[in-house]
Amino acid sequence: MSKLYIVPTPIGNLKDITFRAVEVLKEVDLILAEDTRTSGKLLKYYEISTHMQSHHMHNEHKTVESIIQKLKSGTTIALISDAGTPAISDPGFLLTRACIENGIEVDCLPGATAFVPALVNSGLPNDKFVFEGFLPVKKGRQTRLLLLAEETRTIIFYESPHKLVKTLGHFCEYFGEDRPVSVSRELTKLYEETIRGTAKAVLEHYTNKPPKGEIVIVVGGKAHNGHLKKQK
């Protein structure tokens, strides 16, 4: 019986990985990667020659059982995603649960995840917060927004660049135009930026300047009355 390592990878800057993570990726028998081409760049950078196998949201239901059998036979496996910590809005939960159900040890290493720097950068209360990840695209979206409109804790969302303006518009509609919002984009990368302000002001900014790259939105809870000055 072997072990599954959950290994966080950089969210942008390739140097944002722990010494231990590199060590584990070099020592395991197999690396499960969300996209082997993307992860191949990281492995090449750190001279890691471990064999990779594809493991993503479209095949994880089909491959979990065979991976469990490999672990039971003594294969040591590391799971990585394209960026950040696996299972946080990425594949990983199904395999982790299956390992636990089969008595296989799971070791999750600490490391990069996008919402933590975005939350701290926002200037919004971070003693209590809610991580929502991606909102439903269609079915259930309105219901979720109505529920979150009453949330008093800081709320964290992930969003794609082509849907950001639409989502900010919904925040204005359901949360109110004056609700404080902070949008962090391209974290740890060359063009990293954080735009802070009211929902209306941030919406206007990105309506006039369409965004690119990975995005984290942090929204103040209903009870928060502070207003953040818009800035880069």
Side-chain angles (χ1 to χ4, degrees):
M1 191 78 66
S2 194
K3 180 191 290 189
L4 174 70
Y5 290 94
I6 308 295
V7 182
T9 55
I11 60 174
N13 191 317
L14 291 180
K15 294 181 180 179
D16 290 336
I17 190 168
T18 66
F19 291 117
R20 183 182 171 207
V22 173
E23 187 176 80
V24 166
L25 292 177
K26 286 182 176 181
E27 292 179 353
V28 295
D29 301 311
L30 175 66
I31 296 172
L32 301 176
E34 190 176 1
D35 186 327
T36 55
R37 295 166 298 180
T38 299
S39 296
K41 298 174 185 177
L42 176 69
L43 269 56
K44 183 179 180 181
Y45 186 83
Y46 284 101
E47 299 180 346
I48 299 168
S49 58
T50 308
H51 178 66
M52 280 191 294
Q53 176 181 317
S54 179
H55 182 79
H56 48 74
M57 63 180 293
H58 301 295
N59 73 357
E60 59 178 337
H61 287 84
K62 300 177 182 178
T63 59
V64 164
E65 185 55 41
S66 64
I67 294 169
I68 292 297
Q69 293 306 315
K70 286 181 180 180
L71 286 160
K72 286 183 175 180
S73 70
T75 304
T76 305
I77 298 176
L79 173 66
I80 61 177
S81 61
D82 288 348
T85 301
I88 304 297
S89 293
D90 275 324
F93 166 69
L94 290 178
L95 182 56
T96 299
R97 182 177 63 181
C99 285
I100 293 169
E101 291 173 347
N102 284 273
I104 298 168
E105 185 177 354
V106 178
D107 189 354
C108 182
L109 278 60
T113 188
F115 77 78
V116 173
L119 173 62
V120 175
N121 281 342
S122 73
L124 292 166
N126 54 33
D127 54 333
K128 294 182 177 64
F129 59 89
V130 180
F131 176 73
E132 280 292 313
F134 290 95
L135 282 165
V137 177
K138 293 181 180 178
K139 186 178 180 180
R141 187 179 180 93
Q142 183 182 38
T143 302
R144 196 71 198 158
L145 286 165
L146 286 169
L147 178 67
L148 292 171
E150 301 302 314
E151 175 60 62
T152 58
R153 293 167 292 184
T154 299
I155 316 167
I156 304 167
F157 301 90
Y158 285 166
E159 191 53 279
S160 59
H162 66 280
K163 294 179 182 176
L164 177 61
V165 169
K166 176 183 176 181
T167 296
L168 289 171
H170 284 159
F171 290 169
C172 288
E173 180 182 352
Y174 290 94
F175 301 165
E177 293 183 346
D178 291 334
R179 186 72 70 96
V181 168
S182 174
V183 174
S184 290
R185 188 180 67 82
E186 293 287 79
L187 286 165
T188 79
K189 299 178 184 178
L190 181 62
Y191 297 106
E192 173 181 344
E193 71 171 8
T194 295
I195 301 296
R196 310 172 184 89
T198 63
K200 181 180 180 181
V202 177
L203 171 60
E204 289 176 351
H205 172 85
Y206 283 112
T207 299
N208 296 323
K209 186 180 178 182
K212 296 179 180 179
E214 300 296 321
I215 290 167
V216 185
I217 312 171
V218 184
V219 180
K222 184 179 180 182
H224 182 71
N225 296 317
H227 297 284
L228 296 174
K229 183 179 179 181
K230 178 182 170 184
Q231 62 185 71
K232 292 185 179 181

